[in-house]
Amino acid sequence: MKECKQYNALPSRIIQVKRQRGNLRFVDNRSCNNVSLQFARVDVRGVGKFETTQFDEKRKSYCCGRRSYIKGVDMNLTFTPTAVVGGIPEKIGFIQIVHRMDPGEVKPVHRLRMDSNGNFLDRARPYTNPLYGTKNLVAGQTLDNSTPVSGAVSVGAAPITLTTLGDTTTLTPATMIDTPRSCRGMMFQTSAVGLVSKHYYGTVKWGFNRSHSYDILPGDTAAVVTSVNKWNSVGRAEGGFVLNSSYRKGFHSYPAGSVITDVTFGSTYIRGKIGGTALSHIPFTKVNDDSSGTSVTPF
């Protein structure tokens, strides 16, 4: 395969041309052309290949549709193994890490899991299984017992399966669906991993900011390992909530350490009660997770 890429350091505009057995593939992710003629592919030599089968920008208008910005993407990713690595036939899943452009969007339990580079394992607040899109394990189960979560990707939508596990015995692809949304942007690193060997088969990076979206490119497995090590050492499911500094609302001030109950979430804030008083719009940055949640399953 001959491949020609033209790009700046990520974030970047990307034009990617691939030739394989005389067939031309063209991907144009420049901001002036938001429709991919075909989707991206990243080969991992001797191991397998990553491919996107959907990568659609989602935009939000400022006013009357005259100006807009990218608020997210809808992405379907596959990893197809082409060989058994290390002589161990096994299932394959995904581990994904995320970096939010706006620190104010990071929820307290995710801040607890965050590594020194600002990345954290991309699992929703109650989950303790490190594999993307999978249910929590019960006592006696190992990672290769993982089963997919079924859920709605948007309000009112029908539930779908967020991931399927691959298999090196049958060379069955692993698949995942992600629909991230953010006011400022998010960047991801996604690794295909063996559930018995815990081998990293390869990693791709992708994401978006307000002006550009980025289909998959070769990623940095070492960055994923760093976040996984943080997950393994301190990761927990969501626990309780406490103020990490004093918080003033109207004429009342609430001291650091105050316990917040009856919590619901907004995009960058929580609503809850302190001492029976209902409070709204307490910023995530003012709130700590108290680390009382269930310990995570390590990878």
Side-chain angles (χ1 to χ4, degrees):
M1 175 184 292
K2 292 182 179 179
E3 180 176 293
C4 175
K5 292 181 182 177
Q6 177 183 347
Y7 57 87
N8 300 320
L10 191 68
S12 63
R13 294 193 176 100
I14 304 160
I15 303 175
Q16 179 173 313
V17 179
K18 295 188 176 185
R19 289 188 181 274
Q20 186 174 25
R21 296 178 183 175
N23 296 322
L24 180 66
R25 290 162 49 84
F26 179 74
V27 179
D28 187 348
N29 285 345
R30 294 172 295 176
S31 59
C32 57
N33 184 357
N34 294 320
V35 179
S36 296
L37 302 180
Q38 281 202 20
F39 302 106
R41 168 173 165 173
V42 172
D43 292 291
V44 184
R45 183 173 297 178
V47 175
K49 62 182 178 182
F50 291 91
E51 291 179 289
T52 47
T53 57
Q54 179 185 9
F55 196 87
D56 297 334
E57 285 182 358
K58 298 299 177 182
R59 288 183 168 268
K60 183 172 183 178
S61 297
Y62 281 113
C63 178
C64 306
R66 288 181 291 182
R67 295 179 62 198
S68 68
Y69 66 91
I70 299 169
K71 66 175 183 178
V73 296
D74 289 354
M75 192 272 287
N76 292 4
L77 178 69
T78 68
F79 176 79
T80 305
T82 55
V84 175
V85 175
I88 303 176
E90 62 183 342
K91 295 177 183 177
I92 293 177
F94 294 105
I95 285 182
Q96 180 164 278
I97 66 172
V98 59
H99 183 101
R100 285 188 175 271
M101 305 299 193
D102 180 0
E105 292 181 342
V106 179
K107 295 177 176 67
V109 72
H110 292 150
R111 194 167 62 245
L112 185 69
R113 306 171 187 168
M114 186 180 291
D115 66 26
S116 58
N117 298 312
N119 302 320
F120 54 91
L121 210 70
D122 186 19
R123 295 259 44 204
R125 306 188 323 268
Y127 288 110
T128 56
N129 188 330
L131 300 179
Y132 179 88
T134 58
K135 298 177 182 178
N136 289 343
L137 300 173
V138 300
Q141 288 186 320
T142 57
L143 287 174
D144 61 338
N145 299 126
S146 297
T147 55
V149 171
S150 179
V153 296
S154 61
V155 176
I160 60 172
T161 300
L162 301 180
T163 190
T164 60
L165 301 179
D167 196 315
T168 61
T169 304
T170 57
L171 304 184
T172 302
T175 69
M176 61 172 278
I177 296 171
D178 202 356
T179 57
R181 299 291 187 265
S182 168
C183 289
R184 297 294 177 184
M186 305 167 74
M187 301 305 296
F188 299 88
Q189 303 255 14
T190 309
S191 295
V193 295
L195 306 193
V196 175
S197 67
K198 298 189 178 179
H199 175 76
Y200 289 80
Y201 284 77
T203 301
V204 290
K205 59 186 176 182
W206 58 280
F208 66 96
N209 58 31
R210 290 170 71 89
S211 57
H212 297 91
S213 63
Y214 310 101
D215 207 335
I216 58 171
L217 288 168
D220 180 9
T221 298
V224 179
V225 171
T226 297
S227 291
V228 167
N229 289 341
K230 183 74 171 183
W231 166 275
N232 290 346
S233 62
V234 301
R236 290 183 174 274
E238 186 174 82
F241 301 94
V242 295
L243 290 177
N244 57 33
S245 58
S246 62
Y247 175 68
R248 187 172 183 83
K249 187 72 171 180
F251 296 105
H252 300 280
S253 184
Y254 302 89
S258 297
V259 175
I260 309 167
T261 60
D262 299 333
V263 169
T264 59
F265 279 80
S267 57
T268 59
Y269 59 88
I270 65 172
R271 303 180 185 93
K273 293 181 179 179
I274 297 178
T277 301
L279 298 170
S280 61
H281 289 77
I282 307 173
F284 289 160
T285 54
K286 285 279 189 180
V287 180
N288 280 354
D289 188 287
D290 68 3
S291 301
S292 64
T294 306
S295 294
V296 300
T297 301
F299 181 76

